[in-house]
């Protein structure tokens, strides 16, 4: 029997709406998020920046192309990023047969320590909306569910509970049950069904797999493309780096002796044994910040490293290693490929960037975001979600209120998440930066100062002028 009779990738009315977007994400009992919170990319009733809104006519709603999450240190911003990344990795890569599920429940509440963690993602794929959810401990999946959200109803495609599964009649067949019997307790059925060549749910799986996460210390992986001057990405990157006043005229590659690299001999030997003739491998030396690409030609292991060229005062070029570039320039090299994809006609994609402002000047960060937003239209379905400390981005001339969110941690260590659009006194013409910095909206550090602090300062010989916040 064919296992793709009911295919999510071949549906009616696909010409109406977009194809690949995050609509909402709900989590519960994950790190500092003890209680259930929901983040939404569904547009509210805001009047400003209507050009940002992407309409889903079939579902009589609209989606936002951008969201920024603000908050103080340890308020939960990065934990939210990690939750999304956990779901992405768990779905796309799965687990080994004897491995624990890398779930991280709240540790400050005794009941939560042994309770399951739950996640629910509502997504748009192939012009259809699905809600995929699961609840898990470190040892096993307790519940897993995939629902198709129709314009006026819902259809449960499958639901897994207590080691059993039921399917909607349109997808229920012998091969589906065979695939489930081969699904381990520590494995998602969605993941295993794809590995078993069940194509029915593959578009949902690919939606998660194609998400792109960029952490503060992440490095752009396919930097080998920068070494090829004929690659469109290389030319575009060089142009942007020049326009952004980095001093770089263009990027390039330089051959290096494999035996002279600082990587351990065991690692080089492992690469030499496993790398095929047509394959390539990229590595970064964390200490020197150099990035290398390994390849094989005629049985010989070769290596090249990424370098930057600057123009001197007499018009000639001089080579710089990446270790000689500033942290801000390196951060731009890592971020710009994402923004090039977001502002191009490439396949729709969802990018999540944690601490986008790390090592970047505030005007540069704002320029990257404003350039992206200027390309958003009803015909484009890219999305960008960021976390940031940069209050200069908290500007209604740049963003809608429903595109701005705050994380805050209560006295018990529990993180909450709220949209600016939920604050009644945040008018469309209000300077919300001032209210935010005054602590009226939450999300700022709670700085504690008492006489003990002043006494310690006097004893140490240090004197500070202080102001109440």
């Amino acid at each position: 029997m064919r296992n793709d009779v009911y295919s999510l990738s071949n549906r009616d009315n696909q010409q109406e709406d977009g194809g690949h977007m995050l609509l909402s994400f709900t989590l519960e009992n994950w790190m500092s998020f003890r209680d259930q919170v929901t983040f939404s990319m569904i547009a509210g009733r805001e009047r400003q920046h209507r050009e940002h809104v992407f309409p889903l006519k079939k579902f009589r709603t609209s989606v936002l192309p951008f969201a920024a999450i603000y908050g103080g240190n340890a308020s939960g911003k990065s934990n939210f990023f990690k939750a999304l990344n956990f779901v992405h990795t768990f779905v796309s890569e799965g687990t080994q047969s004897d491995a624990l599920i890398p779930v991280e429940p709240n540790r400050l509440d005794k009941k939560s320590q042994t309770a399951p963690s739950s996640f629910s993602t509502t997504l748009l794929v192939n012009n259809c909306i699905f809600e995929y959810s699961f609840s898990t401990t470190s040892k096993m999946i307790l519940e897993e569910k995939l629902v198709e959200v129709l314009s006026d109803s819902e259809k449960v495609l499958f639901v897994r509970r207590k080691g059993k599964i039921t399917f909607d009649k349109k997808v229920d067949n012998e091969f589906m049950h065979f695939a489930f019997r081969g699904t381990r307790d520590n494995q998602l059925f969605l993941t295993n069904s794809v590995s078993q060549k069940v194509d029915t749910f593959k578009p949902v799986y690919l939606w998660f797999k194609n998400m792109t996460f960029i952490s503060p210390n992440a490095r752009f992986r396919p930097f080998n493309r920068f070494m090829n001057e004929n690659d469109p990405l290389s030319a575009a990157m060089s142009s942007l780096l020049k326009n952004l006043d980095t001093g770089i005229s263009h990027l390039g590659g330089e051959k290096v002796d494999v035996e002279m690299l600082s990587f351990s001999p065991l690692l080089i030997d492992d690469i030499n044994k496993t790398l095929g003739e047509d394959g390539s491998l990229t590595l970064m030396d964390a200490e020197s910040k150099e990035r290398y690409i390994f390849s094989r030609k005629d049985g010989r292991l070769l290596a090249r490293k990424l370098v930057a060229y600057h123009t001197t005062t007499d018009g000639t070029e001089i080579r710089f290693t990446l270790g000689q570039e500033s942290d801000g320039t390196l951060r731009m090299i890592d971020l710009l490929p994402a923004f090039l994809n977001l502002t191009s006609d490439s396949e729709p994609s969802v990018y999540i960037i944690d601490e986008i402002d790390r090592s970047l000047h505030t005007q540069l960060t704002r320029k990257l975001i404003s350039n992206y937003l200027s390309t958003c239209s009803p015909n484009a379905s890219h999305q960008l979600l960021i976390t940031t400390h940069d209050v200069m981005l908290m500007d209604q001339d740049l963003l809608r209120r429903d595109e701005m969110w705050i994380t805050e941690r209560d006295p018990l260590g529990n993180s909450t998440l709220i949209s600016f659009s939920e604050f009644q006194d945040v008018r469309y013409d209000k300077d919300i930066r001032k209210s935010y910095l005054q602590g009226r909206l939450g999300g700022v550090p709670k700085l504690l100062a008492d006489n003990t602090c002043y006494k310690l300062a006097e004893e140490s010989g240090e004197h500070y002028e202080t102001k109440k916040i």
Side-chain angles (χ1 to χ4, degrees):
M1 177 182 293
R2 287 174 55 116
N3 59 57
D4 59 345
V5 174
Y6 182 83
S7 177
L8 306 186
S9 60
N10 184 21
R11 311 298 304 278
D12 296 332
N13 301 320
Q14 290 191 24
Q15 73 279 4
E16 290 186 9
D17 302 313
H20 192 106
M21 304 187 85
L22 172 67
L23 304 186
S24 69
F25 181 67
T26 299
L27 68 156
E28 182 178 2
N29 193 25
W30 169 266
M31 302 185 78
S32 60
F33 291 94
R34 182 194 65 201
D35 302 329
Q36 185 180 97
V37 298
T38 297
F39 168 82
S40 176
M41 297 291 284
I42 298 295
R45 297 181 179 180
E46 309 297 323
R47 295 182 179 180
Q48 74 271 42
H49 301 300
R50 291 182 178 178
E51 71 278 7
H52 293 185
V53 174
F54 183 89
L56 300 179
K57 297 178 182 178
K58 184 169 66 174
F59 299 97
R60 297 184 293 278
T61 190
S62 299
V63 188
L64 297 169
F66 178 84
I69 299 178
Y70 308 87
N73 291 324
S75 63
K77 299 188 307 300
S78 291
N79 290 344
F80 182 81
F81 173 92
K82 291 175 181 177
L84 274 168
N85 198 14
F86 163 73
V87 174
H88 152 75
T89 304
F90 193 29
V91 171
S92 60
E93 298 181 10
T95 56
Q96 297 298 318
S97 59
D98 56 350
L100 293 175
I101 299 169
V103 68
E104 297 190 44
N106 185 280
R107 298 177 63 187
L108 299 180
D109 179 76
K110 289 187 176 181
K111 292 183 179 179
S112 299
Q113 292 175 12
T114 55
S117 299
S118 300
F119 309 88
S120 178
T121 308
T122 305
L123 54 112
L124 177 74
V125 59
N126 294 327
N127 310 298
C128 298
I129 294 178
F130 299 93
E131 181 182 352
Y132 176 68
S133 60
F134 63 88
S135 178
T136 182
T137 64
S138 62
K139 296 182 178 180
M140 63 184 302
I141 307 296
L142 302 180
E143 182 173 335
E144 183 182 4
K145 189 176 183 181
L146 179 62
V147 177
E148 181 178 6
V149 181
L150 305 174
S151 58
D152 56 358
S153 62
E154 293 183 348
K155 179 185 296 183
V156 179
L157 299 179
F158 72 78
V159 59
R160 167 190 186 181
R161 289 193 186 98
K162 297 181 179 180
K164 298 181 180 180
I165 194 167
T166 56
F167 297 97
D168 178 80
K169 61 182 180 180
K170 288 189 176 181
V171 301
D172 194 355
N173 58 57
E174 183 178 344
F175 194 82
M176 283 289 189
H177 289 276
F178 171 80
F180 177 70
R181 286 194 294 271
T183 303
R184 302 187 307 271
D185 288 344
N186 69 341
Q187 184 182 36
L188 294 169
F189 172 70
L190 175 64
T191 306
N192 188 51
S193 68
V194 174
S195 69
Q196 296 290 332
K197 298 184 179 181
V198 176
D199 294 334
T200 307
F201 311 121
K202 191 173 182 179
V204 175
Y205 166 85
L206 291 176
W207 186 95
F208 285 100
K209 184 178 178 63
N210 292 333
M211 297 176 77
T212 299
F213 290 81
I214 304 176
S215 68
N217 299 315
R219 296 293 177 252
F220 181 63
R221 293 179 180 177
F223 58 80
N224 56 303
R225 295 179 60 185
F226 299 155
M227 301 182 185
N228 180 6
E229 294 183 358
N230 296 321
D231 193 302
L233 179 62
S234 176
M237 278 288 293
S238 296
S239 176
L240 276 173
L241 288 170
K242 187 184 299 183
N243 293 336
L244 294 173
D245 196 30
T246 62
I248 295 176
S249 59
H250 66 93
L251 298 170
E254 179 180 86
K255 293 181 181 179
V256 294
D257 188 344
V258 174
E259 296 180 356
M260 298 299 292
L261 296 178
S262 60
F263 297 112
S264 71
L266 290 176
L267 176 60
I268 297 298
D269 185 58
D270 188 51
I271 295 173
N272 200 19
K273 290 178 180 178
T274 58
L275 189 62
E277 190 74 21
D278 298 325
S280 65
L281 176 70
T282 58
L283 289 177
M284 186 188 79
D285 187 324
E287 184 173 348
S288 68
K289 301 181 183 179
E290 304 296 345
R291 297 120 193 257
Y292 300 90
I293 178 169
F294 293 86
S295 60
R296 185 181 297 282
K297 185 176 182 180
D298 298 329
R300 183 185 176 191
L301 187 64
L302 305 175
R304 300 176 74 201
K305 73 175 180 179
L306 186 65
V307 295
Y309 291 90
H310 292 246
T311 304
T312 64
T313 55
D314 62 3
T316 60
E317 285 190 335
I318 185 172
R319 179 189 64 81
F320 278 56
T321 66
L322 293 192
Q324 294 172 315
E325 297 291 348
S326 70
D327 288 340
T329 297
L330 296 178
R331 182 64 167 162
M332 276 192 282
I333 290 174
D334 296 327
L335 291 180
L336 285 180
F339 281 92
L340 284 170
N341 286 337
L342 284 166
T343 57
S344 70
D345 294 328
S346 61
E347 288 295 317
S349 54
V350 179
Y351 282 83
I352 300 96
I353 303 176
D354 190 23
E355 295 188 27
I356 190 173
D357 50 316
R358 173 74 68 89
S359 300
L360 292 185
H361 190 280
T362 183
Q363 291 184 348
L364 177 57
T365 310
R366 184 186 178 101
K367 183 65 174 177
L368 291 173
I369 292 172
S370 62
N371 282 352
Y372 160 64
L373 290 173
S374 69
T375 66
C376 295
S377 71
N379 298 319
S381 57
H382 294 293
Q383 276 182 315
L384 172 62
L385 168 61
I386 68 168
T387 71
T388 180
H389 291 285
D390 192 347
V391 295
M392 297 304 293
L393 302 177
M394 197 177 289
D395 186 353
Q396 294 195 75
D397 288 336
L398 176 68
L399 303 174
R400 295 161 53 97
R401 286 172 294 182
D402 51 7
E403 291 176 318
M404 294 181 279
W405 293 71
I406 293 178
T407 54
E408 188 173 24
R409 193 181 71 253
D410 66 22
L412 297 178
N414 180 40
S415 292
T416 57
L417 183 65
I418 187 170
S419 169
F420 277 12
S421 62
E422 296 182 44
F423 290 98
Q424 295 182 354
D425 60 341
V426 179
R427 291 167 47 89
Y428 70 91
D429 57 350
K430 188 179 183 68
D431 182 0
I432 57 177
R433 272 194 301 256
K434 183 177 180 180
S435 296
Y436 175 75
L437 291 174
Q438 290 174 341
R440 295 171 58 192
L441 303 176
V444 294
K446 296 178 175 62
L447 305 180
L448 304 179
D450 56 25
N451 292 333
T452 304
C453 299
Y454 301 123
K455 184 177 179 180
L456 290 173
E458 290 176 357
E459 292 175 352
S460 65
E462 298 176 354
H463 302 279
Y464 303 94
E465 290 186 3
T466 61
K467 294 182 180 179
K468 289 185 177 180
I469 298 178

